[in-house]
C-alpha cells in the first residue's frame, strides 16, 4: 500500500452492499472517484496514553504531549483525550479512460480517515 497524507473532499451517500451511508464519492487531486464497495470500516482513538495529563494522574516521569488550557477547562481536555477518527477502506474507481497524467491509479483500494471532531477527510493509503 502506498502511503499518503492528503486532504480529500468526500460526499457521503449510499454505497453498494453497505448498510446506511458511507463515503460514496471523493475528490482527490482534482479527480472524481466513485466508491464501489466498502472493504472495511473501524474507529480509532487518539493516543490518549501519551498525553501529559494522563502521565500526571498516574505519576509517571515520562513526558507526554502538552495540552493547552482553555476557558472551557475540562471539556476541551476531554475532547482532546477522547478524539476519534473513522477509517474507511474502500474499493473505488475513476471509470474507463486514458492513463492518468499524474501517474495516479484509476482503480484501487483507498484508505480514508474522517476526523469526527473536525469533519476533515484524509486519504492515507492506496493499493492499485
Amino acid at each position: 500500500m502506498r502511503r499518503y497524507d492528503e486532504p480529500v473532499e468526500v460526499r457521503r451517500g449510499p454505497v453498494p452492499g453497505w448498510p446506511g451511508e458511507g463515503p460514496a464519492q471523493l475528490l482527490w487531486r482534482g479527480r472524481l472517484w466513485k466508491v464501489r464497495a466498502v472493504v472495511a470500516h473501524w474507529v480509532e482513538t487518539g493516543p490518549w496514553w501519551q498525553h501529559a495529563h494522563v502521565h500526571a494522574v498516574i505519576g509517571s516521569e515520562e513526558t507526554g504531549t502538552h495540552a493547552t488550557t482553555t476557558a472551557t477547562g475540562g471539556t476541551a481536555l476531554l475532547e482532546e483525550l477522547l478524539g476519534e477518527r473513522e477509517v474507511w477502506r474502500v474499493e473505488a474507481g475513476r471509470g474507463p479512460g486514458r492513463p492518468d497524467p499524474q501517474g495516479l491509479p484509476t482503480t484501487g483500494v483507498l484508505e480514508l480517515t474522517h476526523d469526527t471532531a473536525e469533519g476533515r477527510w484524509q486519504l492515507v493509503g492506496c493499493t492499485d
Side-chain angles (χ1 to χ4, degrees):
M1 178 172 278
R2 291 186 214 161
R3 291 287 168 199
Y4 296 92
D5 186 21
E6 298 183 21
V8 291
E9 292 180 40
V10 172
R11 181 179 300 154
R12 289 181 92 108
V15 178
W18 183 257
E21 289 190 343
Q25 296 177 340
L26 65 128
L27 190 61
W28 176 35
R29 294 185 181 178
R31 306 281 195 261
L32 182 64
W33 291 71
K34 180 176 172 144
V35 174
R36 297 175 178 160
V38 174
V39 177
H41 172 251
W42 65 93
V43 176
E44 295 178 344
T45 61
W48 57 266
W49 58 91
Q50 296 176 351
H51 200 280
H53 284 86
V54 172
H55 289 283
V57 168
I58 64 173
S60 171
E61 296 293 324
E62 296 178 36
T63 57
T65 58
H66 179 69
T68 54
T69 306
T70 64
T72 57
T75 304
L77 176 60
L78 190 59
E79 288 175 7
E80 190 174 337
L81 288 172
L82 300 178
E84 294 182 338
R85 72 179 190 169
E86 290 181 275
V87 182
W88 294 84
R89 188 169 293 153
V90 298
E91 290 179 17
R94 292 195 12 244
R98 299 186 314 259
D100 187 271
Q102 296 179 8
L104 297 175
T106 56
T107 61
V109 176
L110 308 178
E111 197 162 292
L112 306 167
T113 62
H114 180 242
D115 183 320
T116 54
E118 296 182 21
R120 182 183 50 197
W121 287 87
Q122 294 281 119
L123 176 86
V124 296
C126 177
T127 304
D128 53 328

